[in-house]
Amino acid sequence: MDIVGVLADAMRTAVGPIAAAYAIAGIGLNLQFGYTGLLNFGHVAFMLVGAYGTAITVDDGGPLWLGILVGMGAAILLGLLFGLPTLRLRADYLAIVTIAAAEVLRIVVRGGGESSFTHGVFGIQRFANSFFDANPIPGGDYGIGRLSFTQRGLWVLAVGWSVVALTAVLVALIARSPWGRILRAIREDEDAARSLGKNTFVVKLQSLVVGGAIASLAGTLLAIDRQDVRPDTYLPIVTFAIYTMVILGGPATRLGPILGAIVYWFILQFTDSFLREAIDAGWIPTSIISADDIAPVRFALVGLGLMLLMIFRPQGMFGRREEVLIDGR
Amino acid sequence: MQARPRDGGHRLRLARLGLLALALVASASLGARTDADAQEGDTGTTTTAPTSGQQPAAESIRGRIRDEDRRPIEGVELAVRRGNRTIGEATTDGEGVWEVPVPSPGTYQVTIDTDSLSRGAELRDPDRATIDVDVGPEQNKGVIFPIGEPRTSGVQAGSRFFNLVGQGIRVGAVLAVASIGLSLIYGVTGFVNFSHGELVTWGALIAFYFSATVGGPEIPLPLATVLAMLFGGVLGFALERGLFGPLRHRRSGNVSLIVVSIGLGLLLRNVFQIVFGERPRPYSDYTVQENVEIGPFALPPKDFVIIGVSIVVLIGVGLLLQRSRIGTAMRAVADDRDLAAASGINVDRIILAVWIMGAGLAALGGVFQGISDRVIFDMGFALLLLMFAAVILGGLGTAYGAMVGGLLIGVVTEVSTYWIESKYKLAAALAVLILVVLVRPQGILGRAERVG
Amino acid sequence: MGAELPTREPARTVTTIPPVPGVAKSDPILTVSSLHRRFGGLVAVDVEHLEVERNRITALIGPNGAGKTTLFNLLTGFDHPDRGEWRFDGRSLHRMPAYAVARTGLVRTFQLTKALARMTVLDNMMLAASGQRGERLRNSLFANVWRAQERVLRSRAVDLLERFGLAQMRDDYAGTLSGGQRKLLEIARALMAEPRMLLLDEPTAGVNPALVQSILQHVKSLRDEGMTILFVEHDMDVVMGISDWVVCMTEGWIIAEGVPASIVANEAVIDAYLGARRAEGTR
C-alpha cells in the first residue's frame, strides 16, 4: 500500500477548496449553534441559495460579483423566512422547520425541468469563467508530488482561505462584543436574558441571518470551484457534516470551525483512500466491503463520530473541558 | 442544583452501549448480499441490451424509449451521472434508442428529462425519473423507463380524486402508526428523536430478512411483521437503556440529545445501506395486485389490509392509553413528569415502556411502508420529515395528535398530486408543516405551555 | 441609589391601611385590576384588584398551585393574561413583551435560578446592564464605540459583586457557584439592570440557613435605599421577619392582605394553609 500517497491525498483534501468552503459554512453555523445555541438543521439551504444565486445571475448574463451579492441577499431573506415564524417557539421547532424548509427548497429547485431557470436536476455549469480569467497566478503546478495543486486550484484555494480568514475574524469580533454576550446568554438561558431586558428574538434573528449570509459564501465558493451547481449537492447530510466539524473543532471557539473542517476532511479522505487501497490490495475481502460501500462507510463513521463527540467530548478537540463540566441548571 | 455533576452519572456506562452495538451486529446478519440481486423490476433495470448494430463500448448504459403502443419516441433527453458528476448525456434516435458510455463499472444515476417527452407521453411512475443503475464489468446495461398513464389507470378519471384520498388514507395510517412513538417519546422526555426514521427502516429490514431473503428463514410476511415489531421493541429498549437514558440522567441538554440522535440516525442509515445495499427491493409476498373497489376507493387489497390493521392498532393504542394502568401512567408522565414522579410513578420505567412501544410501532409502520412501496435503506429518513409534520400538526407530545396529524398529512400529501406534480408532494406536506408552525404551533390537539 | 427618597418608618404608615383584599394604598407603584388567566379548565389567576405600595417589602404567600408564579409571569410579560390590566408607575404593561417590561424598571428573578452557567460571574453581571451601545449588531464590530461604556459598567458590576460577597469569584463560571451564591448572583444581576421594583420568586428556596440571613439582609437594605420588592415565599418565619405587607393567594384568588401580624391571625389564610396541608397529608 502507498501509505505516503494516502496521506498526501488526505492532506490535499484537508487544505483543499471543499474544506475551505465547509470551514466558511462552519463559521456561520458556529455563530448560530455554537454561540447562540440555535438548532439550525437547514444550514445547507443557505449554501444552496448562495450557489444558485451566483450561478443563476451569471447564467442570465449578470457579472459574477453581482451573483455573489444576490446569493447573499437570498440567504438573508431565507434567514428571515426561517427565523420569523420559529424563533419565538421552542428550540425544537426551529430544528424541524429548518430541515423541512431546506428540503422543500431543494425539491423545488430540483423539480423544474431543464428549461426552468434552475435547470432542474441538470443544474447550471460554467458560470465562473470570469473568476478563473482573473487568476493572477502563473501557470504550472505548485507543491511536492501528490500534494500539489494546479494554477487553477491554487487560485481557488487562495481566495477560499482568504474568505475563511475574513469571516473568522468578523465572527470573532462580533462575538466578543456586548452583542456577542447576549448570544451566549441566549444559549445558556434565554428566559434569563429576556428578564434582563434583552430583546432575544431580534438578536437570535440577527445571529441566524448573519450566520446564513456567511454560509451563502460557502455555497458560492463550492459552486465556483466546481463550475457546477446541482440540487442534489445540497442534501441534509451536508448540514450534519458541518455540525460534526463545528463540534469536532469546539463550538463557540474562534478557530474551532476551521480546525474542525481541516481535521474532518483529513479523516474522511484518509478513510476513503485507505479503504480503496486496502480493497485493491485484497486486505479487505470485497464480500465485506466493496468499493461501492466506501461512501456509506465514510458517512457511518461521520455519524458515529458525531455521536461519540457529543457524548464524550462536546467541547470538541480544542474547547475548554471545564465549560462542559458545569451543570446546565 | 449541584455545581458539579456526580462522577458516576457523568460517565456513560459503556457496557450499555454494548447493547446497542449488539443490536447493530444483529442487523448485519441480514445477509442481504447473498440475495439474488436481480428482482425482476417493474420499473428499473434489465441486462438485455437493445438491438443496435455497432460495437458497444466496454461499459455503457443504454435503453429504448417507447410509448404505450410500443412506438419509439425520438428526441428524449437523458443524462447519466455518478454522484455529482455528469458522465454523459444522450438523445433518443428515430428508433427511440439511446446509449451513454460510462468510464468504469459502478453505480450511476440515469435521469430522463420528462420535459423532452413528446406527444403528451408521461412516465408511468413520475417519481422515478431518475433510476440508479449498477453496471458490471464489460456490461451494456439496459434501462427501462416505462411510459404511459400512472398505475391506477384502470379506473376512470373522475374517481382519480377518490383514489388519491384512498392512497392518502393508507399513507396517513402508516404515518400515524409510525409516528406515535416519535410523539410519545417527545411527550415523556421532551426530546425530538431525529433517528426515529431509522426505527422505521429497522422494522422493514427485519421483516425483509425473515420473509424475503433467499436462503433466510423465508417465513410468511405476517409472521415476519410480528418479529419485526419485537426486534423494533428490542432496539427501542437498547437505545433507551444504552444511550438516551444515561444521557438524560447526566442531564444532557435537549440540544445535545438531538445532535446525538442525528449522529445515530446517520450511523444506522449508512450501516443499513452497507448491509442491505442501496437498491430498493420489494417483499416477495404481495408485490403486484389488481385493484379492488370498496366504496369509491379502488386500491390493491394489501392497502385495504394495511388501513384495516392500522386502524385496529390505533384503536388498541388508544385503549391502552385510556384504560390500562401503564397507559394512564404514560399520559401522566407526558403531562407533568415531576408531578408523576411525586405521585409514585416510576418515570424511568414508563419512559422505557414508551420507547419499546414506540419503536415497535415504528417497525410496524416500516413494514407497511415496505409492503405498499418497497424496502430501501433510507425509507425511514424519507418518512421522517412527514412524521415531523404529522406530530407537529397533531400536537407534539400526544399519541392522538400523531394519529390525527398522520392521517391529515397522508391525505394532504396524496391529494395534493391532484393539482400539483407528484414530485412536489413532499414539498406540499412540508409547506403544511411550516404553515401550522406559523398559525398554531401547539398543533390541533396540543396546548400552550407555562414558562418559568 | 434612591438616595433622594425620604426614609419613612414603614410599619407605622402601612398599619393605617385596612387589611382587606384589594385595598387601595397611599402610594402604589404597581396596580393590577381584573387580571385573569386560565389553562384549559383551570383558573390559574383571577385577581380582582391588587396594589403594591412603593418602597415596601411585600410578601406573596399561598399554598402550592395558588398561582403566585403565574401571577409573576403575567406581570413580567412571560405569560399573557386572557384579560386584565396592570400598571407599573402609571404605565400600562398590557401586551408588553418580557424584555420591554424589564426595561421599564420591573425586573424579576426565577424560582429555579437562571445563572448563565457557562459565562463568568462578571459576564452575568455585565449582560444585565441596560442601554449598552455594543448590543447593537452594527456597533459590535467597532470596539471603540463601546469600550469606554464597558469599562464603566465593569466597575459598577464589581462594586455590586463586592456588596454581595461574590467579587472574588468574578472570573469563575457561574455554573460553579453554590445554590445560595446563585440566588445572590441573580439578585445582584437584577440590580445591574437598575430596576425600580424587584419581583423575587422564592429567593431563599434551597439555600442554606446562613446564606438565607445574608439574602434577607440584602433585601432589607435594598428597601431602605428606596427599592420596592414583591417576593414569593413559603417560609412563614422569613415572611414575618422582613415583610411590611403580606398578600395571600389560593386558587388564583387573593383571599387576604395586611400587615404580617394580621395575616397570621386571618382565618381564611389559616384555612387555606391547613386545608392544603390536610390535602397533602391524605394523599
Side-chain angles (χ1 to χ4, degrees):
Chain A
M1 174 180 297
D2 176 14
I3 193 73
V4 177
V6 169
L7 284 171
D9 265 3
M11 203 58 221
R12 198 182 48 205
T13 309
V15 298
I18 298 178
Y22 275 68
I24 297 168
I27 288 165
L29 185 69
N30 193 30
L31 187 67
Q32 301 165 342
F33 170 71
Y35 287 103
T36 325
L38 299 176
L39 268 185
N40 164 24
F41 279 145
H43 204 52
V44 68
F46 290 112
M47 297 167 73
L48 184 151
V49 296
Y52 270 90
T54 308
I56 291 172
T57 307
V58 177
D59 200 38
D60 288 353
L64 187 64
W65 62 266
L66 182 67
I68 296 169
L69 288 183
V70 167
M72 217 182 223
I76 289 169
L77 273 180
L78 192 69
L80 294 174
L81 216 65
F82 279 1
L84 284 172
T86 54
L87 286 176
R88 288 182 204 281
L89 306 170
R90 281 186 50 136
D92 326 79
Y93 283 90
L94 180 71
I96 293 172
V97 167
T98 46
I99 193 173
E103 276 292 271
V104 171
L105 194 63
R106 186 180 65 84
I107 292 167
V108 170
V109 166
R110 192 178 197 284
E114 195 171 9
S115 51
S116 76
F117 69 106
T118 63
H119 299 246
V121 288
F122 298 96
I124 304 169
Q125 290 78 29
R126 288 177 292 280
F127 46 82
N129 291 337
S130 64
F131 175 82
F132 292 104
D133 290 347
N135 187 353
I137 301 170
D141 281 3
Y142 297 84
I144 320 149
R146 270 166 87 168
L147 186 56
S148 62
F149 297 93
T150 60
Q151 155 209 32
R152 177 192 188 280
L154 204 60
W155 173 228
V156 179
L157 278 189
V159 173
W161 287 105
S162 305
V163 177
V164 170
L166 253 148
T167 48
V169 168
L170 177 87
V171 168
L173 284 178
I174 59 178
R176 59 146 202 190
S177 73
W179 183 80
R181 193 157 55 211
I182 303 180
L183 296 189
R184 282 175 288 140
I186 291 170
R187 179 191 68 196
E188 295 302 305
D189 194 322
E190 188 183 346
D191 281 342
R194 289 165 71 205
S195 77
L196 297 169
K198 307 303 162 193
N199 190 346
T200 54
F201 175 73
V202 165
V203 175
K204 284 197 290 184
L205 197 60
Q206 289 171 333
S207 167
L208 190 67
V209 165
V210 173
I214 292 173
S216 82
L217 289 176
T220 303
L221 180 65
L222 269 186
I224 287 178
D225 175 47
R226 295 179 185 169
Q227 284 262 47
D228 187 0
V229 292
R230 282 164 198 283
D232 292 346
T233 312
Y234 304 94
L235 294 166
I237 175 82
V238 176
T239 304
F240 303 156
I242 298 169
Y243 267 87
T244 311
M245 285 169 221
V246 169
I247 296 168
L248 189 67
T253 58
R254 284 171 193 173
L255 296 178
I258 303 173
L259 297 173
I262 293 174
V263 173
Y264 174 93
W265 281 104
F266 183 88
I267 295 173
L268 210 65
Q269 186 59 51
F270 182 84
T271 316
D272 193 297
S273 307
F274 182 83
L275 284 178
R276 236 169 259 289
E277 295 259 345
I279 290 168
D280 282 351
W283 293 3
I284 303 174
T286 44
S287 57
I288 297 176
I289 294 175
S290 68
D292 283 349
D293 289 334
I294 288 176
V297 166
R298 283 187 352 172
F299 286 126
L301 287 177
V302 171
L304 186 66
L306 185 58
M307 263 172 85
L308 294 180
L309 268 175
M310 205 64 211
I311 295 170
F312 295 108
R313 218 179 148 79
Q315 80 277 25
M317 296 179 300
F318 310 104
R320 275 188 285 184
R321 178 81 186 142
E322 62 267 32
E323 278 204 17
V324 282
L325 284 176
I326 296 161
D327 196 330
R329 282 280 131 189
Chain B
M1 256 32 52
Q2 214 99 18
R4 284 173 54 93
R6 289 154 296 132
D7 255 348
H10 184 81
R11 231 179 294 123
L12 217 138
R13 273 147 289 184
L14 265 172
R16 291 190 162 176
L17 265 179
L19 260 179
L20 171 67
L22 209 72
L24 282 176
V25 171
S27 80
S29 64
L30 269 170
R33 218 152 268 299
T34 59
D35 184 19
D37 254 349
Q39 293 275 358
E40 286 92 299
D42 34 357
T43 314
T45 57
T46 67
T47 40
T48 43
T51 48
S52 72
Q54 78 252 97
Q55 181 64 31
E59 284 102 16
S60 71
I61 301 173
R62 40 165 54 180
R64 173 185 271 177
I65 309 287
R66 292 189 292 194
D67 68 10
E68 276 175 298
D69 307 322
R70 308 204 140 252
R71 283 179 310 227
I73 309 178
E74 191 180 351
V76 183
E77 290 167 12
L78 296 106
V80 174
R81 285 178 300 126
R82 179 171 210 176
N84 297 314
R85 297 177 88 94
T86 300
I87 302 298
E89 286 165 11
T91 308
T92 54
D93 60 18
E95 297 291 302
V97 172
W98 60 275
E99 177 163 9
V100 176
V102 294
S104 63
T107 305
Y108 297 87
Q109 291 84 42
V110 182
T111 303
I112 183 166
D113 179 10
T114 46
D115 291 352
S116 66
L117 281 171
S118 58
R119 281 179 282 166
E122 258 190 292
L123 278 189
R124 193 181 284 278
D125 186 350
D127 287 342
R128 293 182 49 81
T130 298
I131 297 180
D132 285 351
V133 183
D134 292 319
V135 181
E138 306 276 309
Q139 194 178 35
N140 307 116
K141 189 86 168 187
V143 177
I144 297 172
F145 285 97
I147 305 292
E149 286 287 294
R151 283 256 175 67
T152 49
S153 58
V155 203
Q156 298 85 336
S159 61
R160 185 169 158 241
F161 184 81
F162 283 106
N163 285 330
L164 290 176
V165 174
Q167 281 173 28
I169 292 173
R170 192 261 301 158
V171 173
V174 174
L175 270 181
V177 169
S179 53
I180 286 175
L182 180 63
S183 193
L184 270 183
I185 290 166
Y186 174 86
V188 292
T189 64
F191 144 64
V192 180
N193 178 16
F194 273 71
S195 61
H196 192 77
E198 277 58 52
L199 302 182
V200 173
T201 314
W202 170 255
L205 293 181
I206 293 288
F208 190 90
Y209 169 68
F210 281 110
S211 72
T213 311
V214 178
E218 299 194 59
I219 59 176
L221 189 53
L223 208 60
T225 306
V226 175
L227 284 174
M229 287 181 74
L230 282 176
F231 273 76
V234 169
L235 182 58
F237 176 90
L239 289 180
E240 162 63 14
R241 272 299 163 84
L243 185 61
F244 291 113
L247 284 175
R248 206 171 50 246
H249 283 291
R250 72 169 207 196
R251 302 220 227 141
S252 293
N254 259 337
V255 170
S256 5
L257 286 179
I258 289 177
V259 175
V260 169
S261 76
I262 285 272
L264 175 69
L266 203 53
L267 171 65
L268 290 177
R269 196 154 64 246
N270 285 286
V271 169
F272 293 159
Q273 183 181 351
I274 295 164
V275 174
F276 182 77
E278 60 181 329
R279 296 204 305 110
R281 283 183 271 181
Y283 288 118
S284 45
D285 306 333
Y286 322 118
T287 40
V288 184
Q289 293 180 326
E290 282 294 305
N291 283 354
V292 296
E293 284 187 41
I294 298 183
F297 307 121
L299 293 173
K302 61 181 181 183
D303 281 6
F304 284 114
V305 173
I306 288 174
I307 293 171
V309 175
S310 298
I311 290 171
V312 171
V313 167
L314 294 178
I315 291 173
V317 172
L319 286 176
L320 178 95
L321 288 174
Q322 291 301 335
R323 299 284 168 81
S324 72
R325 276 179 66 93
I326 193 160
T328 315
M330 283 176 183
R331 285 186 299 134
V333 174
D335 205 42
D336 186 334
R337 186 147 43 135
D338 295 335
L339 192 65
S343 50
I345 294 176
N346 183 340
V347 172
D348 276 333
R349 267 191 56 201
I350 296 303
I351 292 176
L352 184 61
V354 166
W355 268 97
I356 293 172
M357 183 176 99
L361 290 171
L364 178 65
V367 180
F368 285 168
Q369 180 66 16
I371 293 173
S372 51
D373 193 347
R374 271 171 304 177
V375 181
I376 182 165
F377 72 95
D378 66 352
M379 58 193 285
F381 188 66
L383 277 185
L384 182 69
L385 293 177
L386 286 179
M387 291 194 284
F388 280 152
V391 297
I392 287 188
L393 180 61
L396 206 48
T398 71
Y400 305 116
M403 299 182 191
V404 173
L407 278 173
L408 273 173
I409 286 290
V411 173
V412 166
T413 316
E414 293 303 317
V415 172
S416 72
T417 62
Y418 192 74
W419 295 282
I420 63 175
E421 287 181 67
S422 72
K423 62 186 170 191
Y424 293 120
K425 70 182 178 186
L426 178 63
L430 298 181
V432 170
L433 159 70
I434 294 164
L435 212 68
V436 170
V437 170
L438 264 168
V439 178
R440 195 179 156 81
Q442 72 271 36
I444 297 170
L445 300 179
R447 50 185 181 143
E449 54 179 290
R450 187 181 108 160
V451 204
Chain C
M1 163 178 324
E4 71 281 2
L5 279 164
T7 40
R8 286 174 289 184
E9 274 181 56
R12 195 185 305 151
T13 39
V14 277
T15 38
T16 60
I17 299 169
V20 183
V23 67
K25 310 293 188 303
S26 55
D27 181 16
I29 188 169
L30 182 71
T31 51
V32 180
S33 38
S34 315
L35 197 63
H36 201 88
R37 178 72 168 110
R38 56 164 66 236
F39 295 116
L42 177 84
V43 177
V45 165
D46 187 4
V47 172
E48 225 22 76
H49 192 81
L50 174 67
E51 295 187 0
V52 178
E53 177 83 339
R54 190 187 307 274
N55 189 18
R56 292 287 180 276
I57 297 175
T58 304
L60 183 59
I61 64 169
N64 280 326
K68 304 178 300 279
T69 294
T70 306
L71 178 62
F72 265 34
N73 286 344
L74 292 173
L75 294 177
T76 53
F78 278 85
D79 189 8
H80 299 288
D82 304 316
R83 59 187 152 80
E85 174 64 23
W86 69 108
R87 290 176 170 276
F88 176 62
D89 234 359
R91 184 169 172 190
S92 173
L93 300 186
H94 191 70
R95 299 226 150 266
M96 217 184 247
Y99 77 90
V101 171
R103 286 180 187 177
T104 64
L106 180 62
V107 175
R108 71 171 294 180
T109 64
F110 295 87
Q111 189 180 342
L112 299 166
T113 47
K114 292 186 181 295
L116 305 166
R118 287 181 293 172
M119 291 169 69
T120 64
V121 168
L122 190 63
D123 268 350
N124 265 268
M125 297 293 288
M126 301 282 286
L127 170 77
S130 55
Q132 298 187 48
R133 278 191 287 273
E135 285 185 354
R136 289 184 178 282
L137 178 55
R138 63 163 182 273
N139 291 343
S140 65
L141 261 181
F142 311 104
N144 56 317
V145 177
W146 44 264
R147 200 175 282 130
Q149 190 187 24
E150 196 82 342
R151 257 195 301 275
V152 175
L153 292 179
R154 183 169 296 121
S155 76
R156 191 152 72 80
V158 171
D159 287 350
L160 269 171
L161 285 175
E162 255 155 28
R163 173 175 176 178
F164 282 83
L166 297 168
Q168 67 277 29
M169 296 152 198
R170 72 174 93 156
D171 294 323
D172 295 351
Y173 284 117
T176 63
L177 300 184
S178 73
Q181 287 170 329
R182 288 183 196 206
K183 289 276 186 195
L184 279 173
L185 172 61
E186 218 179 345
I187 296 172
R189 193 175 67 186
L191 291 174
M192 193 73 194
E194 299 178 281
R196 281 172 296 155
M197 178 171 176
L198 273 181
L199 301 185
L200 306 178
D201 200 346
E202 302 201 23
T204 63
V207 177
N208 75 57
L211 265 181
V212 168
Q213 287 313 312
S214 157
I215 290 173
L216 297 181
Q217 209 46 54
H218 283 301
V219 171
K220 263 197 224 169
S221 51
L222 285 172
R223 186 257 330 260
D224 295 341
E225 289 159 19
M227 181 77 68
T228 308
I229 289 148
L230 176 66
F231 77 116
V232 170
E233 186 53 68
H234 277 297
D235 186 335
M236 285 310 266
D237 291 338
V238 169
V239 172
M240 294 301 132
I242 68 161
S243 44
D244 304 313
W245 191 260
V246 181
V247 176
C248 181
M249 283 181 85
T250 42
E251 291 167 14
W253 292 67
I254 290 175
I255 53 163
E257 57 176 301
V259 292
S262 77
I263 285 295
V264 283
N266 186 306
E267 275 189 23
V269 175
I270 294 167
D271 271 2
Y273 267 86
L274 285 183
R277 208 158 288 159
R278 251 183 237 129
E280 266 164 33
T282 54
R283 192 178 281 164

